[in-house]
Amino acid sequence: MTDQQFKNWYIVEEQDIYWLYCDKADSSTNVLSESVLTELSTIVKKLSVKQVRGLVLLSAKKSGFIAGADIEEFTSLKSSSAAEQLIRGGQAVLTLLEKLPFPTVSLIHGYCLGGGLELALACRYRVAKDDIHTCLGLPEVKLGIHPGFGGTVRLPRLIGAPQAMDLILTGKTIDAYRAKKIGLIDHLVPDRHLKDMAIKCIADKLPPHKPSAFIQMTNHAFVRPILKAVMTRKTEKKADPHHYPAPYAAINLWSHYGGNPKAMYAEEAKSLAGLITGTTAQNLIRVFFLRDRLKALGKGGTFPVSHVHVIGAGTMGGDIAAWCALQGLKVTLQDITPKSISSAIKRAYALFKQRLKNPRLIRNTMDRLMPDITGTGLSGADVIIEAVFEDTQVKKELFQKIEPLIRQDALLATNTSTIPLEEIAPSLAKPERLVGLHFFNPVAKMPLVEIIAGELTDPAEAAKALSFTGSIDRLPLPVKSSPGFLVNRILMPYLLEAVLMVEEGVAPHVIDRAALEFGMPMGPVLLADTVGLDICLHAAEIMSEKYSVIIPGILEQKVKEGHTGRKSGEGFYRYKNGKHIMPKSSSGLSATGQIEERLILRMVNEAISCLDEGIAEDADLLDAGMVFGTGFAPFRGGILQYCRTEGFENIRERLTSLEEQFGERFHPMQGWETIK
Ligand code: COA
């Protein structure tokens, strides 16, 4: 077997051990494409008749082991029978590997995900690098599918149903230490001992990990129905079965066929083939590639940043500062009110505790986040982000004051959520320096950052903003400078329509339920209360200067009365200990179908107008903005993808019918004529 035979693999033979390197051609990442698997099948078949002491599977890529099946290939599957054939082919290769008559080891560094982990599970041993970058998992549910190369069979058998199904149902990844603890990997060793450990496994025939009798019991036919009920209840809290069928399919697979591996392999393939060609999976795959596109925008330039200075320790400023510190940067947080800084630091501590767990790491991160009442950090910072009150005059005065104090090469940004840059920048001696870096609330959960270049902005500064955003693990989206930019402009009509319905007498929770049923992460009334009704009103007023925005009287009245939402204990809902109280009665109940129609179509109409005005460069970027900035129903693939699925003409007709019923705000806006 010579190296030249294969495009994606090469083999090194040392002391009767074969070291099989995965090195996918023309790619920075190893994925199990059809050609990678076909070659692997040939190699394994050839090895099976050789006199070999052992086989070690490893990756030649620096970044990691194998990132799973090739998601790109999922988009060109013609039918579920074609998909099933492909999956059965993959299963067959791993079964061949599993049945090799000599010890097999997978040597893991970096990510080992999806099909990559399933490949490792088909080996007798898994040896991993003791390193913070090592991570293992089965993220398939995030793509609307479940594992298909035997993962649903081998993983519960190896580590027991509760741990295995937790990984399968949530798609979360775990680090090497956790993987060792639950028996997913046999040995965890430093880089320098990796190869020796693999040799030792083979030479000394070390016993591979075997689950205890108790763990094995979790897969027993008597136990499965009980665990199934628990798993289903837990999953229902996170994923609506109508929108996200994959985890429920995985639970059913395991509970029906958990005792019969042969049947389970066949059913795994059948179930996955049905899911992968379905709308949810195809839309979630689309979202994966939308993320990829934004990620790539953040990888373009080089702008090294070590110190960020944030001005304004309110919710947004404080959370931006905390996020930057979590990403390893030194952060100075400036505010004239010590109380604001202290509550921001308290929130930051809660975030670090939740994300880092390790007390030493938490302490180090806290040390990087420094209160800075007097603004001493301004002069040394690489990036300065203003996040003060949304008021043009206040922002202008602030920029005038700080411009002489900052470095010439520093990036100067405003986190304005609605004000066009052209209104703020003229206050600067060098207006071309100013960019918009619009983060979303909550910063740690919403990965999007709108990058706003005004008419005066120097493109080099916008490029720095893209690079900085990518470096702090957020997704940058360039948008045109215009009131509300992209996301808030589309979201505002949706929020205001919800408020109008409250004014009409529909109960807030009925409106919110309609939005949740559509697939939004939070209802619009609760969202308005959470953002703050005063902030919503102010943003609506700013947008109304350019666009026709009808502000419901009830919103102004609530703000006048001081009922500004969650923060004041009352908005459209009442709050107890920060949680909204659900009303007992369903006063003003009306058909959720029409509520959903009114909410979503207002958003859609505005999205078409934004696309027409070029606020985002194209339809895919607009969809990416709504998914990553608002959590817009990912299983629908984005707001314009939703229109595509429903049919643009169909939606336009529905808008016209709403216009007849509710008036001009539903009139199809400019852009509908050209959209396809
Ligand atoms: N299939 C196809 N392409 C993949 C892939 C997969 N499973 N996983 C990663 N890639 C590609 C990305 O599209 C990207 O391509 P590009 O360079 O042409 O843009 C490249 O590999 C690097 O990925 P990127 O995400 O930019 O690198 P990262 O270091 O930030 O993250 C991973 C690496 C593997 C953690 C991340 O890409 C990931 O989560 N991939 C998906 C894993 C998955 O869901 N596997 C199960 C599939 S069923």
Side-chain angles (χ1 to χ4, degrees), residues 24 26-33 63 66-74 111-116 118 135 137-143 145-149 171 173 272 276 288-289 291-293 295-296 299 473:
K24 186 170 187 290
D26 308 319
S27 170
S28 61
T29 312
N30 279 333
V31 291
L32 298 177
S33 63
S63 52
I66 295 171
D70 187 349
I71 300 172
E72 187 88 53
E73 287 181 353
F74 295 171
Y111 44 75
C112 172
L113 302 172
E118 291 176 288
C135 70
L138 293 171
E140 284 87 346
V141 283
K142 295 186 177 166
L143 297 169
I145 55 177
H146 57 61
F149 295 162
T173 55
L272 172 55
I276 208 166
F288 172 83
F289 287 112
R291 178 187 289 272
D292 229 31
R293 196 165 160 206
K295 254 187 183 181
K299 278 181 188 166
D473 194 23

Side-chain angles (χ1 to χ4, degrees), residues 97-225:
L97 179 66
E98 189 175 42
K99 290 196 169 147
L100 282 174
F102 43 78
T104 51
V105 183
S106 49
L107 212 54
I108 298 160
H109 73 277
Y111 44 75
C112 172
L113 302 172
L117 179 57
E118 291 176 288
L119 179 73
L121 285 169
C123 293
R124 191 178 302 176
Y125 306 96
R126 282 151 299 283
V127 174
K129 181 171 160 182
D130 187 351
D131 183 272
I132 50 162
H133 299 296
T134 305
C135 70
L136 300 93
L138 293 171
E140 284 87 346
V141 283
K142 295 186 177 166
L143 297 169
I145 55 177
H146 57 61
F149 295 162
T152 64
V153 185
R154 293 190 181 97
L155 192 62
R157 201 165 60 195
L158 182 73
I159 60 172
Q163 299 285 7
M165 294 306 284
D166 186 40
L167 287 176
I168 292 170
L169 298 178
T170 61
K172 69 180 177 195
T173 55
I174 52 172
D175 61 31
Y177 314 101
R178 177 103 194 107
K180 172 78 178 69
K181 201 167 166 206
I182 63 175
L184 182 51
I185 49 184
D186 297 87
H187 301 285
L188 184 59
V189 290
D191 197 20
R192 62 186 186 282
H193 295 319
L194 268 178
K195 288 199 165 180
D196 287 345
M197 194 67 227
I199 296 170
K200 194 171 162 60
C201 286
I202 293 168
D204 298 352
K205 296 199 169 52
L206 295 179
H209 169 77
K210 192 166 173 259
S212 67
F214 177 73
I215 296 280
Q216 286 178 42
M217 274 297 289
T218 60
N219 287 305
H220 194 280
F222 291 133
V223 182
R224 289 205 301 271

Side-chain angles (χ1 to χ4, degrees), residues 437-468:
L437 274 179
H438 179 216
F439 288 78
F440 289 83
N441 186 11
V443 176
K445 277 207 181 126
M446 288 297 162
L448 192 79
V449 178
E450 286 179 328
I451 309 292
I452 304 124
E455 270 166 26
L456 303 170
T457 308
D458 179 348
E461 298 303 309
K464 276 155 79 175
L466 285 171
S467 163
F468 165 66

Side-chain angles (χ1 to χ4, degrees), residues 361-489:
L361 293 178
I362 298 170
R363 201 178 49 243
N364 290 348
T365 313
M366 286 299 287
D367 287 348
R368 282 198 297 271
L369 176 58
M370 288 164 277
D372 184 7
I373 305 258
T374 51
T376 48
L378 270 169
S379 58
D382 305 299
V383 178
I384 295 106
I385 304 174
E386 165 278 313
V388 301
F389 183 63
E390 195 72 346
D391 181 294
T392 310
Q393 201 47 38
V394 173
K395 287 181 192 286
K396 279 168 92 169
E397 282 167 19
L398 179 86
F399 279 116
Q400 233 163 17
K401 219 188 286 170
I402 64 171
E403 190 182 15
L405 306 175
I406 64 174
R407 276 188 1 221
Q408 283 303 309
D409 58 342
L411 176 68
L412 185 59
T414 166
N415 179 54
T416 173
S417 57
T418 42
I419 307 171
L421 256 62
E422 293 73 18
E423 293 181 19
I424 308 170
S427 65
L428 289 160
K430 287 187 176 166
E432 65 275 16
R433 291 191 71 170
L434 190 68
V435 292
L437 274 179
H438 179 216
F439 288 78
F440 289 83
N441 186 11
V443 176
K445 277 207 181 126
M446 288 297 162
L448 192 79
V449 178
E450 286 179 328
I451 309 292
I452 304 124
E455 270 166 26
L456 303 170
T457 308
D458 179 348
E461 298 303 309
K464 276 155 79 175
L466 285 171
S467 163
F468 165 66
T469 305
S471 73
I472 56 165
D473 194 23
R474 300 288 79 178
L475 300 171
L477 173 69
V479 293
K480 235 179 176 171
S481 175
S482 158
F485 313 117
L486 178 77
V487 174
N488 281 349
R489 163 129 171 236

Side-chain angles (χ1 to χ4, degrees), residues 23 138 186 334 372 434 479-480 529 577 630 635 642 666:
D23 192 10
L138 293 171
D186 297 87
Q334 183 181 357
D372 184 7
L434 190 68
V479 293
K480 235 179 176 171
D529 263 7
N577 302 327
T630 70
F635 73 97
Y642 164 71
F666 286 100

